[in-house]
Amino acid sequence: MNDFIFKENELYCEDVPVEQIASEVGTPFYLYSLATLGRHFSVFNESSKVLNSLICYSVKANSNIAVLNFLFKMGWGADIVSGGELFRALKAGVDAHKVVYSGVGKTEGEIEFALKSDILMFNVESLPEVFLIDKVAGRLNAKARVSFRINPNVDPKTHPYISTGLKKNKFGINIKHALSAYETAGELSNIDVVGLDCHIGSQLTEIAPFNDAVEIIKELLDKITAKGFNIKYLDLGGGLGITYENEMPPHPSTYMNSIKKILKGYEGRIIFEPGRLIVGNAGIFVTKVIYNKDTGSKNFIIVDGGMNDLIRPALYEAYHEIVPVIKRDGPRAKSDVVGPICESADFLGKDRVMNSVQEGDLLAVFSAGAYGFSMSSNYNSRPRVAEVLVDKDKFYIIRIRETYDDLIAKETIPDYNYNIT
Ligand SMILES: *Cc1c(COP(=O)(O)O)cnc(C)c1O
């Protein structure tokens, strides 16, 4: 089932023609389908019922408060990686007792904010971090619930930039130092050790690396438990991949069932932090053709959306399917689809064979709901684009397009007194 579908020759999101939205909000923009989002929620949620689980959606994948609010209303919590994400999650109505806080560089201010909000737990990534959390908690007269993020040194077989569970990565605590980290934290008076955490990477398309990691974590869990720690939460992170081109990632229920087998006998709560899987294919990026440019050696389709709007192709050489919103007949040609940014990495797709497109045509860039808008920037002084959410035959602008005034709103020209000598 798909909610981005062609009727006749025209792309719809649910019951709304994409072209109609473009004519009202302009281009480029992100477009999300509530039906797809709801279906992805349900599949993951149902699959997780074979376990005693808590699902904490990974806010960084798509942080729009409308998207967050939908998932929180359904009962999910949040996996956050910054004070800004905590702020967003709270504004979107999260239950703070369902918030877990990951990330290698939590600052004192962020730790204080999280403690005052009484989040469920910190996923601690180093010993200096647990010492700082202990200090801040002491000052606030609070007790901080923590788990350690363990780096199990398994290869997730994904792009190197989204691998996080290899010993060369900056993430987590080396598995060899895990036991002593627990013992050290156990001595701290403002720390309550409640969990064990691991997240090995993103866009995993095989089940084996997950299984390897969970086996390693289970072994460690038994050792920690034997030392007298009560591990009430076992956080297994996110990372399940999606289909961008022809990947065949495991179904969530396959994943959950194999975890259930490995963790047989564990009675605590299992936390999952899915991101991409929930929102990735619930969104597209819509951009307009500005020029067709033939350099003599290559055809370029130059569009009004660029790497500042959708950085995945430039950053990871990621593939996104690109199709015209209105299909035309006509000769097929091979082209690079590129943005207006002054960087050679500014492309959305390379060597794409498509029916010829004309200036003014709309292109849909698929699978753009995760790490799309949330990774966008103002580079080249481009206002960030609009985000639109469709529900059946209605659409809602859930983030208005930035203006030129927004670009300089926080800037000032100082009244300095400098003379050229
Ligand atoms: C990014 C991230 C996730 C989500 O990863 P997906 O691949 O989008 O599911 C979960 N947990 C942590 C700690 C992360 O950094």
Side-chain angles (χ1 to χ4, degrees):
M1 226 192 334
N2 196 333
D3 302 294
F4 296 97
I5 34 160
F6 280 94
K7 296 184 186 170
E8 308 284 315
N9 280 324
E10 178 168 9
L11 184 65
Y12 278 64
C13 178
E14 303 190 27
D15 299 326
V16 187
V18 172
E19 168 114 76
Q20 185 197 328
I21 300 171
S23 71
E24 291 185 37
V25 306
T27 57
F29 62 97
Y30 280 94
L31 180 58
Y32 311 123
S33 156
L34 196 57
T36 309
L37 192 61
R39 204 169 53 249
H40 291 175
F41 165 86
S42 298
V43 168
F44 199 88
N45 207 53
E46 289 306 310
S47 303
S48 73
K49 286 186 175 161
V50 297
L51 296 159
N52 171 17
S53 59
L54 169 66
I55 298 167
C56 297
Y57 166 72
S58 178
V59 170
K60 74 181 191 288
N62 184 319
S63 328
N64 186 288
I65 57 172
V67 171
L68 298 181
N69 175 259
F70 174 78
L71 297 171
F72 299 158
K73 266 197 314 219
M74 297 290 178
W76 284 7
D79 164 47
I80 58 162
V81 294
S82 72
E85 286 192 351
L86 176 55
F87 177 81
R88 269 181 186 281
L90 292 169
K91 288 285 178 193
V94 79
D95 173 354
H97 291 276
K98 295 180 180 172
V99 174
V100 295
Y101 189 174
S102 310
V104 297
K106 304 174 190 83
T107 64
E108 185 158 355
E110 289 176 315
I111 291 165
E112 179 167 338
F113 180 24
L115 281 169
K116 285 182 170 162
S117 308
D118 202 16
I119 65 164
L120 179 62
M121 69 180 185
F122 293 87
N123 288 333
V124 174
E125 307 222 13
S126 64
L127 277 179
E129 181 189 331
V130 83
F131 296 143
L132 181 57
I133 295 173
D134 179 56
K135 187 183 104 183
V136 180
R139 174 156 58 74
L140 297 177
N141 234 334
K143 195 122 186 170
R145 287 173 294 274
V146 307
S147 79
F148 280 105
R149 176 171 178 179
I150 301 303
N151 185 331
N153 192 28
V154 301
D155 186 352
K157 301 201 173 71
T158 183
H159 190 281
Y161 289 3
I162 46 178
S163 293
T164 57
L166 283 164
K167 64 181 182 207
K168 67 178 178 192
N169 298 131
K170 69 177 176 182
F171 298 97
I173 301 230
N174 184 331
I175 182 108
K176 289 192 204 133
H177 307 149
L179 258 186
S180 84
Y182 274 86
E183 283 169 337
T184 305
E187 302 291 311
L188 301 173
S189 46
N190 308 302
I191 295 288
D192 190 7
V193 181
V194 295
L196 172 54
D197 168 51
C198 125
H199 169 77
I200 58 173
S202 199
Q203 185 52 15
L204 272 73
T205 53
E206 294 170 40
I207 198 108
F210 284 119
N211 288 347
D212 294 349
V214 179
E215 304 258 10
I216 292 168
I217 290 296
K218 173 70 166 70
E219 207 173 296
L220 179 61
L221 172 70
D222 291 342
K223 285 189 198 152
I224 295 168
T225 308
K227 293 267 180 203
F229 288 96
N230 179 11
I231 302 299
K232 291 185 248 180
Y233 302 99
L234 196 55
D235 186 339
L236 298 179
L240 264 181
I242 64 169
T243 303
Y244 285 98
E245 190 171 9
N246 42 31
E247 304 89 337
M248 302 248 283
H251 189 278
S253 73
T254 311
Y255 165 73
M256 303 286 181
N257 283 312
S258 90
I259 288 170
K260 186 185 162 100
K261 228 181 267 169
I262 300 170
L263 292 180
K264 206 170 49 183
Y266 174 65
E267 285 180 349
R269 206 139 191 223
I270 298 175
I271 296 178
F272 294 103
E273 304 170 344
R276 186 188 313 269
L277 181 67
I278 307 305
V279 289
N281 276 319
I284 64 173
F285 177 64
V286 181
T287 182
K288 189 167 74 184
V289 177
I290 313 175
Y291 302 113
N292 273 302
K293 175 170 177 175
D294 180 357
T295 63
S297 57
K298 207 160 188 156
N299 290 316
F300 291 96
I301 298 171
I302 302 175
V303 298
D304 63 359
M307 66 186 280
N308 71 300
D309 304 310
L310 177 61
I311 204 175
R312 299 190 67 259
L315 189 58
Y316 315 124
E317 295 189 315
Y319 176 93
H320 287 267
E321 189 184 345
I322 304 175
V323 295
V325 166
I326 299 193
K327 286 185 184 159
R328 311 174 173 277
D329 295 329
R332 289 168 77 77
K334 195 197 271 186
S335 317
D336 284 7
V337 180
V338 301
I341 305 266
C342 303
E343 300 280 344
S344 291
D346 180 28
F347 67 93
L348 297 176
K350 284 194 169 160
D351 294 325
R352 298 305 174 86
V353 179
M354 283 195 268
N355 286 355
S356 57
V357 294
Q358 294 172 13
E359 292 166 14
D361 284 1
L362 298 176
L363 298 181
V365 181
F366 278 81
S367 313
Y371 307 106
F373 188 91
S374 65
M375 287 185 123
S376 68
S377 77
N378 291 119
Y379 185 44
N380 275 207
S381 286
R382 288 164 49 81
R384 266 174 298 181
V385 306
E387 291 177 285
V388 178
L389 179 69
V390 167
D391 177 25
K392 297 182 274 289
D393 61 352
K394 290 203 172 58
F395 72 87
Y396 304 90
I397 299 171
I398 58 174
R399 192 182 210 275
I400 58 172
R401 186 180 307 284
E402 290 180 354
T403 64
Y404 287 153
D405 280 327
D406 291 330
L407 290 176
I408 56 163
K410 305 289 186 196
E411 298 175 23
T412 49
I413 299 171
D415 188 18
Y416 48 72
N417 187 9
Y418 174 84
N419 297 302
I420 302 265
T421 48

